[in-house]
Amino acid sequence: MQDITLILLGAGSASRFKLPPKKQWLWSDNRPLWLQVANEFSKIENFADTIIVSSKDDIRVMSNFADYSFIEGGDSRQESLKNALKYVKTDFVLVSDIARCCLDIDMIRRVILAKKHNSCVVPTLNIVDTLYLKELPINREDVKIIQTPQLSCSKTLKKALDTDIEFTDDSSAIASENGEIIFVDGSTKAHKLTTVEDLDKLDCLKAPSKRALVGFGIDIHPFENNKKMYLCGVEIESPFGFKAHSDGDVAIHALIDALLGAGGLGDIGEFYPDTDIRYRGVDSKILLKDTVDRLNSIGYIIGNVDLSIIAETPKLLKYKKSMRFNLAKLLNIGANFVNIKATTAERLGAIGRKEGVAVEAIATLYYYDWTKR
Ligand code: MG
């Protein structure tokens, strides 16, 4: 019977993890870490639902990549868990951190098998070392290390968390409601990914695939009088600029679409909608920088980009070099990985009639190789 919901917590800022991608977004072969964890859990048990708790920004991307339920996290683990519990309809809930990424299947099965109404099942480890409390040795049989994932009675956990008390784990919350705590054997394999050094201990993570991801973008803007013209962030001498909600840098817009496309992120309108007042007259360089930061934070690095600017006017030859160097700087890659082509429309169509400019762009991305950090 499907009476368990899986909640995977991954909304933390992970400030102790010092790599360009967030730890949830280290790629293991062709999957980001959070997706590998969710998929591996689903092989163990047929959960009624899998709820992944993350930041609003991440959810926008995650929901393109997998058909799980995604819920926005709160300011603390407990707030995040409370948000997720609102959507739980099953009697039981299994809560794990995405950072606890290498699963011990046998241990998780032991946890699930022990489930009981008004209880919390907790995996524990015994202590093998001698323990002292201040000056005095204590009986190590009396002490246990508490692990996760823990399986709780949903109703009791919801009730327990409806308070200002900050609990360190689910079992202490359940205990506060006089629920039963059931201990099962834990596992020394269940490491948590907190710092970069932990990566050496996590044998379930594979090196990222070396595949190149290709994206394509196209944009077109008509001319508008008495406006400055920008292409690739470079100011172009011209009596007119581009009609647009933003500064109208049609080249950067096509490039952003190519980059988002390569990453599987959708398109520019989803991230910077022209109905949003924040982007009125915005410098497109800011949008490009934001796109690059976003891609880096989810484990992508930029390979190369290539742009074709189709313009009958203005003449762009003298700007091509500064466009290349400007984009290289914004993308944080060598100028040899940036190419700018300028062509005309041979007087055909709207571009040929000098009514505007169109740009086509292509970009490649790779997964950040955390094994060579
Ligand atoms: Mg545009």
Side-chain angles (χ1 to χ4, degrees), residues 289-300:
K289 274 304 263 180
D290 186 67
T291 302
V292 172
D293 290 346
R294 189 182 299 275
L295 291 170
N296 290 156
S297 77
I298 61 173
Y300 292 121

Side-chain angles (χ1 to χ4, degrees), residues 3-40:
D3 60 354
I4 306 174
T5 298
L6 173 67
I7 295 179
L8 293 174
L9 298 169
S13 63
S15 50
R16 278 177 289 172
F17 194 74
K18 309 274 184 222
L19 284 183
K22 294 180 261 192
K23 61 184 173 183
Q24 306 89 300
W25 284 100
L26 292 181
W27 288 74
S28 173
D29 194 16
N30 280 305
R31 290 186 299 194
L33 181 132
W34 65 267
L35 185 55
Q36 172 167 312
V37 173
N39 288 356
E40 292 305 308

Side-chain angles (χ1 to χ4, degrees), residues 219-221 249-250 253:
D219 197 20
I220 184 164
H221 279 260
D249 193 327
V250 55
H253 298 176

Side-chain angles (χ1 to χ4, degrees), residues 94 107-108 110-111 120-125 144-151 182-187 190:
L94 182 68
M107 181 190 87
I108 292 165
R110 281 195 292 277
V111 170
C120 181
V121 186
V122 185
T124 63
L125 288 179
K144 284 180 168 55
I145 295 174
I146 298 293
Q147 293 190 299
T148 62
Q150 300 178 1
L151 186 129
I182 301 166
F183 296 114
V184 297
D185 286 340
S187 163

